[in-house]
Amino acid sequence: MALAEHCPLLVSVDFGECDLLTDLSITVLAERCPRLASVSFQSCDHLTDDSVIALAAHCPHLTSVNFGYCTLLTDNSVAALGDSCPLLISVDFSQCWELTDDSVIALGELCQQLESITFDGCDRLTDISVMTVAKHCLKLREVDFSDCSQLTNDSVMAVAEHCQQLKSVNFDSCVLLTDSSVISLAEHCPQLEVISFSGCVGLTDRSVMTLAGHCSLESVRFGACPQLTDRAVMALAKYCAQLSVLFCRGCTLLTNAPVSALQQGCPKLLHVSGIPGFPGGGN
């Protein structure tokens, strides 16, 4: 890779969606650019564990890695980063379907400076992964375990108990969740600004009302939560003046009753979906 040969002092690279990249290219980059701190190879779907292992071995100062949609990666990649890159702050392994609890547990135990983690679509993960990460990574501000369908209330409660600096959570389509876990999150994490629980069919108005009462929410997504009613939206209108995004498409019990309250209580609201009668925000 010519870039690596001529720019050995590189600290950040983004080759997202460069689907012609190979393991050989990344290995050369890692060997020639040991100061790399931030790398993104999102959707470089020919890369294998060899690339990540090379980066981990030669670039110990890595703080941010994005391998989202690199679907050939396995536990070996995550384990290598955990072993060699203790300064990691942000990791994204979206849709890396082969990952299991083993590597995520190791990552949590070894990389305790993590502030942002994304494992959406890694549906082999279970509660033990999330609970371990939460226990050891107390600085977490952003977590995304959407479409991790095996997760239960235990995961969310662990995050709530240990990670009280959280600002953003995404547990979309974690269908086993109930109100008790979301209420715990609201009570322990008052700095929450962005929440997404779309497709969590077990949630009711209690979840939204408690979040609204405890957190200054800016973005709320509860699409396809069929038990939500106008009471939930009215609570957001009453308590969340900073709200700018509201997505509740597929919440079939909602009516146009909260429209006026939203318009008055949430002056910053720009993007609305799923509220009948709201300008631009109907179903």
Side-chain angles (χ1 to χ4, degrees):
M1 181 182 278
L3 178 68
E5 293 178 5
H6 296 289
C7 304
L9 301 182
L10 278 173
V11 295
S12 177
V13 295
D14 185 344
F15 288 101
E17 299 184 12
C18 295
D19 57 4
L20 297 181
L21 283 181
T22 65
D23 289 332
L24 178 59
S25 299
I26 307 309
T27 299
V28 171
L29 177 71
E31 292 174 348
R32 304 285 176 84
C33 303
R35 298 189 184 186
L36 280 171
S38 175
V39 298
S40 177
F41 297 99
Q42 182 171 318
S43 300
C44 296
D45 51 12
H46 294 298
L47 300 186
T48 73
D49 291 331
D50 290 345
S51 290
V52 186
I53 291 170
L55 284 164
H58 296 284
C59 306
H61 304 295
L62 282 172
T63 60
S64 176
V65 298
N66 184 345
F67 290 98
Y69 298 87
C70 295
T71 56
L72 299 180
L73 302 186
T74 74
D75 283 340
N76 293 330
S77 289
V78 179
L81 288 169
D83 286 337
S84 302
C85 304
L87 302 180
L88 280 172
I89 294 174
S90 175
V91 298
D92 187 336
F93 283 93
S94 301
Q95 304 296 323
C96 293
W97 307 307
E98 297 298 320
L99 300 188
T100 72
D101 289 332
D102 291 342
S103 62
V104 179
I105 289 170
L107 185 74
E109 292 175 341
L110 296 169
C111 299
Q112 298 185 18
Q113 303 305 309
L114 282 168
E115 296 180 10
S116 175
I117 56 173
T118 302
F119 287 98
D120 79 85
C122 299
D123 60 3
R124 298 178 68 180
L125 301 185
T126 70
D127 288 333
I128 190 62
S129 285
V130 184
M131 293 168 69
T132 303
V133 168
K135 180 180 178 181
H136 293 283
C137 303
L138 307 184
K139 296 181 180 181
L140 280 173
R141 294 178 178 270
E142 301 178 1
V143 300
D144 185 344
F145 286 98
S146 53
D147 293 298
C148 294
S149 58
Q150 297 190 64
L151 301 187
T152 73
N153 287 340
D154 290 342
S155 287
V156 180
M157 287 179 171
V159 169
E161 179 181 352
H162 296 290
C163 307
Q164 298 183 15
Q165 299 181 53
L166 277 174
K167 289 185 174 295
S168 175
V169 298
N170 188 336
F171 286 95
D172 283 353
S173 299
C174 294
V175 295
L176 301 179
L177 301 186
T178 67
D179 289 332
S180 60
S181 60
V182 181
I183 290 170
S184 178
L185 195 67
E187 292 175 342
H188 287 89
C189 303
Q191 298 182 52
L192 275 174
E193 297 173 348
V194 178
I195 59 168
S196 194
F197 288 94
S198 292
C200 297
V201 295
L203 302 185
T204 74
D205 290 342
R206 291 182 62 218
S207 288
V208 183
M209 293 169 69
T210 307
L211 283 164
H214 286 77
C215 309
S216 183
L217 298 174
E218 297 179 5
S219 177
V220 173
R221 295 179 177 272
F222 277 94
C225 291
Q227 299 188 65
L228 295 192
T229 74
D230 292 339
R231 293 178 64 213
V233 182
M234 292 295 286
L236 292 171
K238 182 176 181 180
Y239 295 111
C240 299
Q242 302 302 311
L243 194 65
S244 61
V245 176
L246 176 58
F247 181 86
C248 43
R249 180 167 292 177
C251 300
T252 55
L253 297 179
L254 298 184
T255 73
N256 62 0
V259 169
S260 177
L262 280 172
Q263 291 174 324
Q264 294 179 22
C266 305
K268 298 183 178 181
L269 200 52
L270 297 175
H271 304 285
V272 181
S273 179
I275 306 296
F278 197 96
N283 288 303

